Amino acid sequence: MIVAEIYTQNDGKIAAFVMRGHSSFGGHGYDIYCAEVSVLSQSAYFAIRQYLNRDVAVENYEHGGLGVELKDAPDDLTEAVFQTMLIGLRRVAEIAPEVVRIETIELDEAAEKNLQSKINSMTQSRGGELPKLSVEEVKILAEIFQTGNKVTGFSVEERSGEMVSELKIYCAGVWALTKAAASCVKDFLKRDVEFSSEAGRLTVMLKNPPDEVTEAVFQTMLIGLREIEKIAPQAVKIIS
């Protein structure tokens, strides 16, 4: 089972997370849920480190796990990133409760020691190579809309036709990430959006100008999409 431990401070903001248990990746039998969890957690981690440029008190990874704790107090921007991840994780847990379990833990002295112990105990290692694809046509198109240097919305569309098994894990990651970003902007941030969801297509457009918080959510999504595009360009093509 995949266990996601979410550590919060007194004000409810997320300060750290530990993701462990999805270490059964291998060959062409990659598990869809594990792929979704990995995409969501790694996108949040990259957004914290690369986009927000935040320092972390402790971080570590292993094949099938990732642990991160912020060095400084969480704020609205880090919360937007972490909530994008958490919303996506909750969706996976709702669909497959036997596969994913989410635990929310309030940080106190004991929890802090336990958190650091778990992160430090991770064995730094990377898994094997991802499945090689021999697909000619890109499966999902992701169009990113911008005003100036900020994202105002996006549209993702999956092309019809049979999907080869090797492509499914990547496409699952794309949908998990984009749906999480859409829900975070619409339901968590309570932004006024034009929202359209139908089979094979999702579109989200801000009705009001973007701000730093919406940008944190969209950049979390975009960072994850770019990683997938880099690894499996047959899965998603980003248009901006």
Side-chain angles (χ1 to χ4, degrees):
M1 169 173 276
I2 302 168
V3 179
E5 295 182 351
I6 310 298
Y7 292 82
T8 64
Q9 293 195 334
N10 293 335
D11 60 1
K13 283 188 168 64
I14 298 171
F17 70 85
V18 175
M19 214 76 58
R20 301 189 80 166
H22 50 297
S23 57
S24 59
F25 284 176
H28 294 286
Y30 276 52
D31 183 80
I32 293 294
Y33 301 121
C34 292
E36 292 179 336
V37 169
S38 291
V39 167
L40 290 163
S41 59
Q42 290 181 30
S43 297
Y45 168 68
F46 290 144
I48 291 292
R49 297 290 273 143
Q50 298 174 9
Y51 175 65
L52 296 182
N53 295 313
R54 298 301 165 83
D55 290 331
V56 295
V58 59
E59 64 179 320
N60 208 345
Y61 61 83
E62 64 185 5
H63 183 40
L66 174 63
V68 177
E69 181 184 15
L70 294 173
K71 184 175 182 179
D72 299 317
D75 54 39
D76 289 345
L77 297 183
T78 61
E79 187 66 9
V81 170
F82 285 139
Q83 283 294 332
T84 303
M85 175 190 73
L86 183 55
I87 287 168
L89 292 176
R90 283 175 174 158
R91 175 181 168 274
V92 178
E94 182 179 337
I95 295 172
E98 73 283 3
V99 176
V100 181
R101 184 175 77 242
I102 301 171
E103 299 176 357
T104 302
I105 303 166
E106 185 172 330
L107 272 174
D108 54 21
E109 187 175 346
E112 177 69 30
K113 289 181 179 179
N114 185 48
L115 166 65
Q116 294 198 13
S117 175
K118 286 186 175 182
I119 294 178
N120 287 328
S121 69
M122 288 182 170
T123 303
Q124 291 197 16
S125 62
R126 294 298 189 189
E129 291 186 1
L130 293 167
K132 302 297 182 183
L133 304 180
S134 57
V135 183
E136 294 182 1
E137 186 179 75
V138 174
K139 190 62 179 174
I140 299 178
L141 296 178
E143 189 170 3
I144 309 299
F145 306 106
Q146 293 179 290
T147 297
N149 61 352
K150 282 188 170 60
V151 178
T152 57
F154 66 89
S155 180
V156 288
E157 182 174 11
E158 186 172 313
R159 295 179 174 180
S160 60
E162 187 176 352
M163 188 187 302
V164 299
S165 59
E166 294 92 337
L167 198 56
K168 290 181 180 178
I169 60 166
Y170 301 108
C171 292
V174 171
W175 283 115
L177 194 53
T178 53
K179 288 178 179 179
S183 294
C184 190
V185 170
K186 180 174 176 286
D187 301 322
F188 177 72
L189 298 182
K190 304 295 184 183
R191 296 297 194 266
D192 196 8
V193 299
E194 293 180 9
F195 181 87
S196 174
S197 178
E198 53 190 81
R201 186 179 180 88
L202 172 65
T203 302
V204 176
M205 286 291 297
L206 294 173
K207 289 186 177 180
N208 297 310
D211 53 48
E212 290 185 348
V213 182
T214 61
E215 188 66 11
V217 174
F218 288 138
Q219 285 297 327
T220 302
M221 177 193 74
L222 192 51
I223 285 169
L225 292 179
R226 283 174 176 156
E227 286 296 311
I228 297 174
E229 185 183 42
K230 181 167 60 179
I231 295 170
Q234 301 94 331
V236 60
K237 180 178 181 181
I238 302 171
I239 305 169
S240 58

